[in-house]
Amino acid sequence: MTIDRRTGIVPTLEMVAARAGVSRATVSRVVNGSPRVAPEMAEIVNAAIAELGYVPNRAARSLASRRTEVIALVIPESTSKVFTDPFFSSIAQGAAYYLSSTEYTLSMVISPESDPDRTRRYLMGGNVDGALIVSHHSGDHSYQNLSLPMVFAGRPLHPETGDNIFYACVDDVAGERSATEYLIGSGRRSIAVIAGPQDMPPGLDRLRGWREAVLSHGLDESLVEYGDFTPLSGTQGMRRLLRRSKKIDAVIAANDQMAVGAYVAIAEAGLRIPDDVAVIGFDDDYYSRAAQPPLTTVNQPSIDLGTAMAEMLVGLIRGEPVERVRVLPTQLKLRGSS
Amino acid sequence: MTIDRRTGIVPTLEMVAARAGVSRATVSRVVNGSPRVAPEMAEIVNAAIAELGYVPNRAARSLASRRTEVIALVIPESTSKVFTDPFFSSIAQGAAYYLSSTEYTLSMVISPESDPDRTRRYLMGGNVDGALIVSHHSGDHSYQNLSLPMVFAGRPLHPETGDNIFYACVDDVAGERSATEYLIGSGRRSIAVIAGPQDMPPGLDRLRGWREAVLSHGLDESLVEYGDFTPLSGTQGMRRLLRRSKKIDAVIAANDQMAVGAYVAIAEAGLRIPDDVAVIGFDDDYYSRAAQPPLTTVNQPSIDLGTAMAEMLVGLIRGEPVERVRVLPTQLKLRGSS
DNA sequence: TTGAAAGCGCTAACAG
DNA sequence: CTGTTAGCGCTTTCAA
C-alpha cells in the first residue's frame, strides 16, 4: 500500500496497531525504539508498519512529546546577502550533513535585522528544539539571552559577556601566526599585513596572529593597513603599504578577497608574485583557487565548523555534557603566491 | 510577560481566550485573520495576545489543520558536496527570502543517493506541504512522481517525460547565443567553444546557443571541444582547440570555471586576452570576478531562480493557477576578457 | 458573529 | 512487557 495524500489514505499508528493486533502504545514504543518491548512483538509490529508504509506524523508526535525535532539555522539578513559566501554555505552543509544522521531537521531562518523580535518569537514559540546562530564575522550574539539551546559560530566579540554561551570557532590567531612564520622561515623579512575590520573577532585575531609572529622574530610590526574584507580594500591597502615602504617582500591579508585585491596593486608597482612579494590570504575560498598565481592561504574548516556546531547543539538538547567551546585548527595551503 | 521554556510558561490560545473573555474559537479566528470576527472583539483579543506574548504552537496547528507550513529544499547528496557552489546557495537564499514573507518555513533536506526512499518517505510522511528540488545540472527528476506539490530547478533532461512537472530555469540557449553574437558583433570570426557534458540540460543548451549563433552568421561550427565543468578540463579543451586551429580569435566556455581554465592554455600559447583571443564564460560566479583579466560572462539570476521556484510552489500549494514553466533571462556581463 | 464540542495522531504516565 | 487513559494546543464543523 502506498501513501496517498489526495485520497487521504495515510496510515496512522492506530491502523498499525489494529493490523498488528496490539495497542497503540506498543506500536509507539516500537517506533521509538523502546527497550520495553518483546522482540517477537516488535517484529510483528514492524511487519505491520512495513506493510502499511507507515510514517509517524511529526506534528502529532511533536505535540504530544513537546519536542519538535527541528533545529533552526539562523542567518542574519545582512549576512545572508552574502549567503553565497562559501563560509555560510559550508556551515549549512556541515550542519545539514550531521543532522541528517539524527532525528533532527534543519530549518533555515533568515532573521530580518529590522525586526529581530520576529526571529525571537519564532525561536521561543516552541517551533524548534535549538538554534545554530551564524553571524558573519561580527561576533554579534544578540540572541544569546534566549533560554533555548543555542550554539554560535565564532567567538563573542566581548569574551566577558559570553560566559555562558556555547560556540565553535576557528583558531584565527594560530592560523595567521603560522602563516607569518612560514614566510619568515622562507626568508621574508619585511612582512606587511592588510588587516580586517577591528570590530569583529576574525579581524582582531588574525591581526594578532601576525603581530605575535613578527614580534617574536624581532621584525617590523608597523606595516599594518586596514581593509573591509573586499577585494577593492585589499588593492587600496596594498597601495598604501607600498607607498610606505619599498622593502616589503611579503604581505598577509586577513582574507582571500583582500589578498587577491592586493595582487592588483602589486602588479601596478611592477612587482612580481611571489618573486618580489609573497602573498598569503585567509579562508581558502574560491578567490584563492581562481587567482593567478593561485593564492597560498590559511584554510579554515568551515564544513567541520558546521558539523561541530550541530554536534554540540544536539548534545545540549539531549542534556549530555558538552564543552562550551570548540576550537578547530586551520591549515596552511601552500600554492603559488608564496 | 515573557515566554519561558524552563518554567513552562508558554501562553496558550486558551490562556488568551480566558484573558480576553472569549472562546478559544474566537481567538483562533483572530489569529488566523478570519473575516468573521467583530472588529472590537478582534481588538480585545489582539490586546490579550500582545500582553501575553502569545505565539501559536506550530505542531498543534499543523495537527489540527493538516497543514505543516513547511517546505523542503531537497538537495541530492552528490550535489550538496558542491553545495558551496554559489548556484545552490543562491537558490537557497532566494527561496528562503521569499518564504520568509509567507507563513512557510524552509527545511533543508540532504537526500542520500544511497537511500532515496528515505527522502521519499520524509516528503510523503506529512512532514512538508511541498518541495523544491535542486539537482545540479543533471536534469534528474527522480522525485517527479510523488503526489506532492513540487517545483524543480532546471528543465528535465527528457522533455517528454516532464509533461506534468513544474520547474523554473534559465534560458541557457538564448544566453549563449547572445554571448556568441556579441563576439561576432565585435569582429571575432573564428569562435571556438568549450562545451559542457552533453548529458545535462545546461551542457546541451549552451552548446546549442553557440551553434545557432555561428550558423546563422555562416561561421565555422566545427571548433567544439568538451569539458566537465572543471577548470582543468577547460585548460585541456583549450589546448586541443589551439592545436586544431591557429586562427581562433575567441572562445566561449560553458561555465566560468572552464573559461578560467582556458586562460592557462591561452597564456601557454603566448596569446593575450582579449587582444588575441576573447574569452566568455557562463554563470557569473566567483571565478569570473577573480580572474585576471576579469571574465566576461553570462550572468544567470540564480537568486531569482530560487525566488521563482518558491513562488510557484506556494502558488501550487494554495491551489492558485501556476504556470508550469518559468524561464528566466540571462544577462551578458562585459568585463575585461572580451 | 460567537461558542461548544469533537477530534487531529501521538506520547506518557499509570496500572496491570 | 503491554494496555488504558488522558491529554498535547489548535482548528473546525455545527448550533445558537
Side-chain angles (χ1 to χ4, degrees):
Chain A
M1 175 176 153
T2 327
I3 303 164
D4 190 326
R5 290 205 137 214
R6 290 160 313 179
T7 57
I9 309 179
V10 179
T12 68
L13 184 147
E14 175 142 31
M15 294 166 62
V16 175
R19 176 140 190 153
V22 300
S23 75
R24 296 183 308 171
T26 300
V27 178
S28 176
R29 290 190 187 100
V30 172
V31 169
N32 293 293
S34 159
R36 307 175 174 293
V37 189
E40 318 87 59
M41 191 85 278
E43 213 157 295
I44 296 173
V45 172
N46 279 132
I49 288 175
E51 284 164 27
L52 294 174
Y54 167 74
V55 182
N57 176 306
R58 259 193 125 74
R61 173 186 289 203
S62 169
L63 182 58
S65 67
R66 311 173 133 290
R67 280 177 283 108
T68 66
E69 297 185 347
V70 173
I71 283 176
L73 177 67
V74 180
I75 305 177
E77 183 176 18
S78 68
T79 85
S80 88
K81 281 175 188 149
V82 287
F83 187 67
T84 43
D85 183 332
F87 183 64
F88 299 110
S89 321
S90 299
I91 288 181
Q93 180 184 345
Y97 258 122
Y98 175 74
L99 292 178
S100 69
S101 72
T102 72
E103 70 269 35
Y104 294 96
T105 262
L106 223 216
S107 177
M108 278 189 40
V109 177
I110 294 200
S111 154
E113 256 112 31
S114 58
D115 181 9
D117 275 346
R118 195 184 127 98
T119 305
R120 281 206 189 77
R121 282 196 307 271
Y122 177 78
L123 294 180
M124 295 314 295
N127 296 301
V128 301
D129 291 345
L132 261 17
I133 318 252
V134 184
S135 52
H136 189 47
H137 289 180
S138 78
D140 167 25
H141 285 185
S142 62
Y143 294 105
Q144 80 184 45
N145 292 320
L146 300 183
S147 64
L148 179 80
M150 287 184 295
V151 175
F152 293 80
R155 72 166 176 86
L157 184 55
H158 307 293
E160 64 283 7
T161 66
D163 240 24
N164 208 13
I165 72 159
F166 291 74
Y167 64 91
C169 66
V170 159
D171 195 338
D172 286 310
V173 177
E176 204 72 310
R177 195 197 308 117
S178 72
T180 310
E181 269 160 1
Y182 167 80
L183 288 170
I184 297 172
S186 54
R188 310 284 175 170
R189 282 298 170 269
S190 185
I191 302 170
V193 67
I194 302 172
Q198 296 300 295
D199 58 354
M200 31 186 90
L204 287 163
D205 294 348
R206 293 174 190 179
L207 177 57
R208 193 173 133 215
W210 166 84
R211 182 166 285 131
E212 286 182 7
V214 293
L215 280 182
S216 75
H217 289 263
L219 299 179
D220 185 358
E221 60 145 343
S222 73
L223 292 171
V224 183
E225 288 289 342
Y226 298 89
D228 62 3
F229 283 143
T230 62
L232 179 60
S233 72
T235 302
Q236 297 169 333
M238 193 66 212
R239 284 190 189 129
R240 291 194 298 272
L241 285 168
L242 290 171
R243 223 174 288 135
R244 286 171 52 184
S245 163
K246 298 291 172 212
K247 296 187 303 183
I248 291 172
D249 57 7
V251 64
I252 282 212
N255 76 342
D256 289 344
Q257 299 194 34
M258 292 198 295
V260 170
Y263 276 34
V264 176
I266 293 170
E268 285 170 358
L271 300 171
R272 308 179 49 148
I273 302 170
D275 312 86
D276 301 318
V277 181
V279 183
I280 295 188
F282 204 116
D283 282 352
D284 193 13
D285 65 20
Y286 282 108
Y287 281 87
S288 55
R289 264 160 275 170
Q292 257 332 313
L295 179 66
T296 291
T297 188
V298 181
N299 171 277
Q300 59 175 334
S302 34
I303 293 181
D304 297 343
L305 195 63
T307 306
M309 291 172 66
E311 250 173 26
M312 290 168 75
L313 184 57
V314 169
L316 275 178
I317 293 172
R318 292 187 178 148
E320 298 162 1
V322 172
E323 64 279 52
R324 268 214 322 105
V325 180
R326 198 119 122 203
V327 181
L328 304 185
T330 60
Q331 200 191 349
L332 186 63
K333 290 276 184 197
L334 296 178
R335 292 205 260 261
S337 68
S338 69
Chain B
M1 174 175 153
T2 328
I3 303 164
D4 191 325
R5 289 205 139 214
R6 291 159 312 176
T7 58
I9 309 180
V10 179
T12 67
L13 184 147
E14 175 142 32
M15 295 166 63
V16 175
R19 176 139 192 155
V22 300
S23 74
R24 298 183 308 172
T26 300
V27 178
S28 175
R29 290 189 187 102
V30 172
V31 169
N32 293 292
S34 159
R36 305 175 174 293
V37 188
E40 317 87 60
M41 190 87 278
E43 213 157 295
I44 296 174
V45 173
N46 278 134
I49 288 176
E51 284 165 27
L52 294 175
Y54 167 74
V55 183
N57 177 305
R58 258 194 128 73
R61 173 186 287 201
S62 169
L63 182 57
S65 67
R66 313 171 132 290
R67 280 177 284 108
T68 66
E69 296 185 348
V70 173
I71 283 176
L73 177 67
V74 179
I75 305 176
E77 184 175 18
S78 68
T79 86
S80 89
K81 281 175 188 150
V82 287
F83 186 67
T84 44
D85 183 332
F87 183 65
F88 299 111
S89 321
S90 299
I91 288 181
Q93 180 183 344
Y97 258 121
Y98 175 73
L99 293 178
S100 69
S101 72
T102 72
E103 70 269 35
Y104 294 96
T105 262
L106 223 215
S107 176
M108 278 189 41
V109 177
I110 293 200
S111 154
E113 256 112 31
S114 58
D115 182 8
D117 275 346
R118 196 184 127 97
T119 305
R120 280 204 188 78
R121 282 196 307 271
Y122 177 78
L123 293 180
M124 296 313 296
N127 296 301
V128 301
D129 290 344
L132 261 17
I133 319 254
V134 184
S135 52
H136 188 47
H137 288 180
S138 78
D140 168 24
H141 285 186
S142 62
Y143 293 105
Q144 80 184 46
N145 292 320
L146 300 184
S147 64
L148 178 81
M150 288 184 295
V151 174
F152 292 81
R155 72 166 175 87
L157 184 54
H158 307 292
E160 63 283 7
T161 65
D163 240 23
N164 209 13
I165 72 160
F166 290 74
Y167 65 90
C169 66
V170 159
D171 196 338
D172 286 311
V173 177
E176 204 71 311
R177 195 197 309 117
S178 72
T180 309
E181 268 160 0
Y182 168 80
L183 288 171
I184 296 172
S186 55
R188 310 285 176 169
R189 282 297 170 269
S190 185
I191 302 169
V193 66
I194 302 172
Q198 297 300 295
D199 56 355
M200 31 186 92
L204 286 164
D205 294 348
R206 293 174 190 179
L207 177 57
R208 192 172 134 214
W210 166 85
R211 182 166 284 132
E212 286 181 7
V214 293
L215 280 182
S216 75
H217 288 263
L219 300 179
D220 185 357
E221 59 144 343
S222 73
L223 291 171
V224 183
E225 287 290 342
Y226 297 90
D228 62 5
F229 284 143
T230 63
L232 179 60
S233 73
T235 302
Q236 296 169 333
M238 193 66 212
R239 283 191 189 127
R240 291 196 297 272
L241 286 168
L242 289 171
R243 222 174 289 134
R244 284 172 53 184
S245 163
K246 298 290 171 212
K247 296 186 303 182
I248 292 171
D249 57 7
V251 63
I252 281 210
N255 76 342
D256 289 345
Q257 300 194 32
M258 292 198 295
V260 170
Y263 276 35
V264 177
I266 292 170
E268 285 170 359
L271 300 171
R272 309 178 48 147
I273 302 170
D275 311 88
D276 302 316
V277 181
V279 183
I280 296 187
F282 204 116
D283 282 352
D284 193 13
D285 65 20
Y286 284 109
Y287 281 87
S288 55
R289 266 160 274 170
Q292 261 325 319
L295 179 66
T296 292
T297 188
V298 181
N299 170 276
Q300 58 175 335
S302 32
I303 294 182
D304 298 342
L305 196 64
T307 306
M309 290 171 66
E311 250 172 26
M312 290 169 74
L313 184 57
V314 169
L316 275 178
I317 293 172
R318 292 186 176 148
E320 298 162 0
V322 172
E323 64 278 53
R324 267 215 322 106
V325 179
R326 198 118 121 204
V327 181
L328 304 185
T330 59
Q331 200 190 350
L332 186 62
K333 289 277 183 199
L334 296 178
R335 292 206 261 260
S337 69
S338 68

